[in-house]
Amino acid sequence: MRIHLTVWRQAGPNVGGAFHAYTAENVSPDMSFLEMLDVVNEQLIKKGEEPIAFDSDCREGICGTCGFMISGIPHGSQPHTTVCQLHMRKFNDGDSFTLEPWRAKAFPVLKDLVVDRSAFDRIIQAGGYTSVNTGGAKDANNILIGKDIADAAMDSAECIGCGACVAACKNASAALFTSAKITHLSLLPQGQVERTTRVLNMVERMDTEGFGSCSNEGECEAVCPKGISLKNIATMNKEFWKAVLQS
Amino acid sequence: MRALRMLGSSVGTKIILAFTGLALFGFLIVHLYGNLLAFLGPASYNEHAHELISNPLIIPAELGLVALFLTHIVKAIGNFGKNRSARPQAYGVKKWAGGPSRKSLASTTMIFSGLAVLLFVVIHLKLFKYGPVYTDAVTGNRDLFRLLLDDFHKPGYVVGYVLAMLIIGLHLRHGISSATQSLGIVPESWTMQVLRGGMALAMLMAILFAIIPIAVYFGVIR
């Protein structure tokens, strides 16, 4: 396969960038999108040019490290798929793509397609945890949780923190990411101790980082590789006003 | 203190917008009831208007309404500015995601449809509430029905009013369901029903409001 790429190249943070055109030759349909970029990078290195920087780690769709815009949609147009699990067999010989980093004030571009997502880490640090006594490992079923609650909590906990929700949102809002963690922990007994302060702290952090607010459009849900539902945001908002009334 | 500060947060702002928006929607329903009385003739229409004007609670009610409007507008404009600054550099290529996303013309133009509605409200108050005062010869009350007929025999007024109602319908199409989502008051299993219901309700409101000037123009209301 031959693939035409228009890629955002930026040498580092706080410098300007521009789109550059590349052509990937001899792309196997069995390659993932990232493996196709690996091939392009090998060609660039052979020519003595700087390879295209992009993030990746597990390449199994579970770690949340990879991700960039493929022709205007985070992770590309295949639903519930990270870039690393997007395969070239889904495309045709001669297809063209525009690759761009996530764009948000809170996600500054570090280089090419790589952005700094540590704002997400700081939101989690603000309240996305539970306090437990240390000691010997507890029995797995020490605290009984109904299957429906465990399933609902797992649906929210599935978030891999890739940042596609922020990238897709017209307001660059982190509401889906933040609400998934708040919902996950509010459903479980372990999350009850910090339940009130958690939502306030995490929302406050989300704002400090410079993310926008939620317009309830659901672009985030549509591009989320894990299909995290917009319902999480409704739950976060409910948790929020309950916490405001209690505090 | 913290509770108050948190009301200014992104989530707090959306909750305030949702609450004031739904309250204004409630006002629209009451307003629509009064409008539709025009189909019953001048007596019912003017009597309802007189009952409202002569009620001693009208002043506090109007002040409350102004407060709701102002809060909604000020918060919405501030929110729009913050959201714009959250993405300083625009995408070279950006597409709508489709699928479960409910992004629409309505959802992407809320600030503009809202400002258009504000402009309409100002014109509407100037021409109607603070417009020419006719007096009913029999009851001695204000004859708003005559003003209604006067205004909506002018084609320009009919077109302008119907256009304004379409914009209000557009604003409500996203607004009603979005507000319930922002408040988190709808059980999860009802999300889709509320979304569709909100859209249907928005369309119904726009049609019922817009039907009155058309009925006047074509002589159904006279």
Side-chain angles (χ1 to χ4, degrees), chain B residues 47-205:
Chain B
E47 191 190 320
H48 176 70
H50 180 71
E51 274 173 13
L52 285 180
I53 300 165
S54 57
N55 192 316
L57 289 176
I58 191 72
I59 298 295
E62 281 179 347
L63 288 176
L65 199 56
V66 169
L68 282 177
F69 258 108
L70 287 180
T71 308
H72 195 75
I73 294 162
V74 169
K75 279 282 176 187
I77 292 173
N79 189 47
F80 178 71
K82 277 185 191 157
N83 286 341
R84 291 302 285 261
S85 69
R87 175 164 295 132
Q89 182 164 7
Y91 284 109
V93 180
K94 183 76 167 70
K95 286 194 199 122
W96 291 14
S101 172
R102 53 192 72 163
K103 187 169 187 160
S104 63
L105 175 69
S107 75
T108 48
T109 54
M110 287 300 274
I111 189 79
F112 307 110
S113 57
L115 290 173
V117 170
L118 173 64
L119 179 69
F120 165 77
V121 168
V122 173
I123 297 170
H124 178 59
L125 286 176
K126 189 170 180 327
L127 291 179
F128 207 73
K129 185 175 166 69
Y130 301 106
V133 178
Y134 301 117
T135 309
D136 190 317
V138 182
T139 58
N141 298 334
R142 188 174 175 191
D143 190 357
L144 279 163
F145 191 81
R146 189 179 151 196
L147 184 58
L148 179 81
L149 297 189
D150 269 9
D151 281 351
F152 289 137
H153 280 133
K154 300 168 192 158
Y157 278 40
V158 177
V159 171
Y161 191 90
V162 170
L163 199 65
M165 292 310 112
L166 287 177
I167 294 171
I168 289 182
L170 194 70
H171 197 76
L172 291 177
R173 184 189 187 274
H174 178 71
I176 299 171
S177 58
S178 180
T180 58
Q181 167 84 13
S182 287
L183 291 174
I185 49 175
V186 177
E188 285 191 10
S189 52
W190 280 64
T191 308
M192 282 320 286
Q193 284 88 327
V194 168
L195 185 69
R196 295 202 188 97
M199 288 182 194
L201 211 53
M203 208 190 299
L204 184 71
M205 293 287 288

Side-chain angles (χ1 to χ4, degrees), chain A residues 71-72 100 103 105 166-169 171 200-201 204 207 213-217 219 222 230 237-238 240-241, chain B residues 2 5-6 9-10 14 79 83 86-87 91-95 97-98 101-102 107 174 178 181-184:
Chain A
S71 297
E100 218 175 331
R103 298 232 182 262
K105 187 165 84 181
V166 174
C169 177
N171 306 331
L200 298 179
N201 291 343
E204 205 165 35
D207 290 355
S213 67
C214 172
S215 287
N216 301 316
E217 287 187 322
E219 289 284 291
L230 203 57
N237 289 11
K238 189 167 73 183
F240 178 88
W241 60 254
Chain B
R2 185 173 194 206
R5 196 174 75 242
M6 288 312 287
S9 69
S10 60
K14 290 301 291 190
N79 189 47
N83 286 341
R87 175 164 295 132
Y91 284 109
V93 180
K94 183 76 167 70
K95 286 194 199 122
S101 172
R102 53 192 72 163
S107 75
H174 178 71
S178 180
Q181 167 84 13
S182 287
L183 291 174

Side-chain angles (χ1 to χ4, degrees), chain A residues 7 39-40 44 48-49 55 61 69 82 89-90 97 102 107 139 141-142 158 162 171 187-188:
Chain A
V7 185
V39 171
V40 173
L44 288 176
E49 291 179 34
D55 257 336
M69 304 294 282
T82 53
R89 57 179 169 267
K90 299 285 176 186
F97 302 100
W102 298 160
F107 285 169
D139 181 78
N141 291 320
N142 210 7
E158 230 186 324
C162 65
N171 306 331
L187 285 167
L188 299 174

Side-chain angles (χ1 to χ4, degrees), chain A residues 71 122 242:
Chain A
S71 297
R122 290 188 290 271
K242 277 185 187 168

Side-chain angles (χ1 to χ4, degrees), chain A residues 58-72:
Chain A
C58 76
R59 300 214 177 184
E60 292 175 337
I62 52 172
C63 77
T65 307
C66 69
F68 44 78
M69 304 294 282
I70 302 179
S71 297

Side-chain angles (χ1 to χ4, degrees), chain A residues 79-98:
Chain A
H80 301 168
T81 309
T82 53
V83 180
C84 65
Q85 286 299 300
L86 183 65
H87 288 89
M88 299 314 292
R89 57 179 169 267
K90 299 285 176 186
F91 305 114
N92 300 314
D93 186 30
D95 276 358
S96 302
F97 302 100
T98 303

